[in-house]
Amino acid sequence: MSLAPRYDSLDDGVRHALRRLVTLLALLPLLILLAAQAPRLPGGPLVLGYGFLVLAVTTVMLFLAYAHYEDPAVRTVRRRPVAATADFPPLPPAPRVSFLLAVKDEQDHIESCVRSMAASDCPGLDLVVVDDASTDGTPAILRRLAAELPVRLLFLDRNVGKKRALVLAAEHAEGDVLAFTDSDCLLAPDALRRCVDALVRHPELGAVSGHARALNADATLLTRVQDVWYEGQFRVAKAAEAVFGAVTCVSGPLAVFRRDAVYNYLPAWAEDRFLGRDFRFATDRQLTGYVLGQFRLGRRLKARHAGSPFVHGTDHPERAWRTGYVRSAVVRTTVPARLRPFLRQQIRWKKSFIRNIFFTGTFMWRRGPAAAALYYGHVLWVLAAPVMAVRHLLWAPAAGLWTLTALYLAGVLLKGVVWGVAFRIDHPGTPRWRYRPLMSLLSATLLAWLLPWSLLTIRRNVWSRSAT
């Protein structure tokens, strides 16, 4: 007999206390390991410190994700700003939703994507698709679909890039809510509605992210590894950030924004520049940053683009919006099936990460100590990864310190096993949890080197989305 009905019938406070207790018991082996290693740190801080810190942070994130995260589409969350109802205007009970998509040369995926958008059970849906000067069969497919489905099409004569194409779509959007997806995604029928429900239930949320998994998970070993990795990045990492209302990347597969939280900042997003050049990547982190940081930077950004119809048409007040994550809003995205496209994707993501440090990093310390610790801790971890790779994979073997290399790799695998066990708890009966240690090993031995390369080539605005 399932325990879920009994659990759901419990008092809210009792249910929350029970979750904390069960999570602490599950994390007890890690807590014991950390307690046993703590006295040894003064004797070997360089050898043990990094691994101890990574394991400690992982333990904290797991505790936050499993003990404190609540799906905002399922119930009203406990951790909310005191003045939530006074400072943030409520959405209508059934807001109009504009669902926006930009596409270029995606004839293999576009029909299934648009059909899944149109199949959303979200009332008041307004579909707008922009073709960014495709040169394959995409325009013909879109015209055929428009004759069958309630979708508005915009065809551009020249390629302007994904961000500018989406902003052009937003010019035609009429919704109280603006939702975005990617052209290689398939949405569950209730995914968009659940995100909108979360915004309606919580007026303080300016944006929410859905939960992404790999659409082509069975294609290759690499796609299976990514599928399990995606689960952890959303179920644990975004859930931990959501506890404090500070999800720093409302991800592209399903990104849902209140119109009044993002509309004035779309021209700043489209015309974003970095190191003196147009930054063409459609950075999810940057768009999320405009929601999180407008209470500090909003006036300056709007003044910079005062001539835009997105600004002078309607001036929305700057608010300290929160951002969230809706675990029950499932979307599946096509992930790279081969190593070369995977590496290109990772380089693109790391370039976006580097650029965003110089924006979001300037104000996250004002979002509260917990949210700031998660953000800056993650930044330091990413920046330290190539340094740790050099030290443990190059310098240590050259110096004959093979034990140090072995300890490093063992720690990497241990972290992967911990994340894999979390996957198995959420998905009992599946053997896919064992792929998660492979992703940790791949990150430490290969992906860590991509950060300095991304920094060196950050002015090279080359976009590639091929998953094959």
Side-chain angles (χ1 to χ4, degrees), residues 20-51:
R20 284 185 292 177
L21 176 61
V22 171
T23 304
L24 280 173
L25 291 174
L27 293 174
L28 192 58
L30 293 181
L31 295 173
I32 293 173
L33 179 60
L34 289 170
Q37 294 300 315
R40 301 175 55 191
L41 285 177
L46 293 179
V47 177
L48 300 174
Y50 179 74

Side-chain angles (χ1 to χ4, degrees), residues 370-416:
L374 284 176
Y375 175 78
Y376 294 113
H378 175 67
V379 168
L380 289 175
W381 179 80
V382 174
L383 295 179
V387 177
M388 293 297 106
V390 169
R391 182 174 187 270
H392 294 96
L393 302 179
L394 295 181
W395 175 81
L401 301 175
W402 292 99
T403 301
L404 183 59
T405 300
L407 286 173
Y408 173 70
L409 294 177
V412 167
L413 290 173
L414 174 61
K415 179 191 172 187

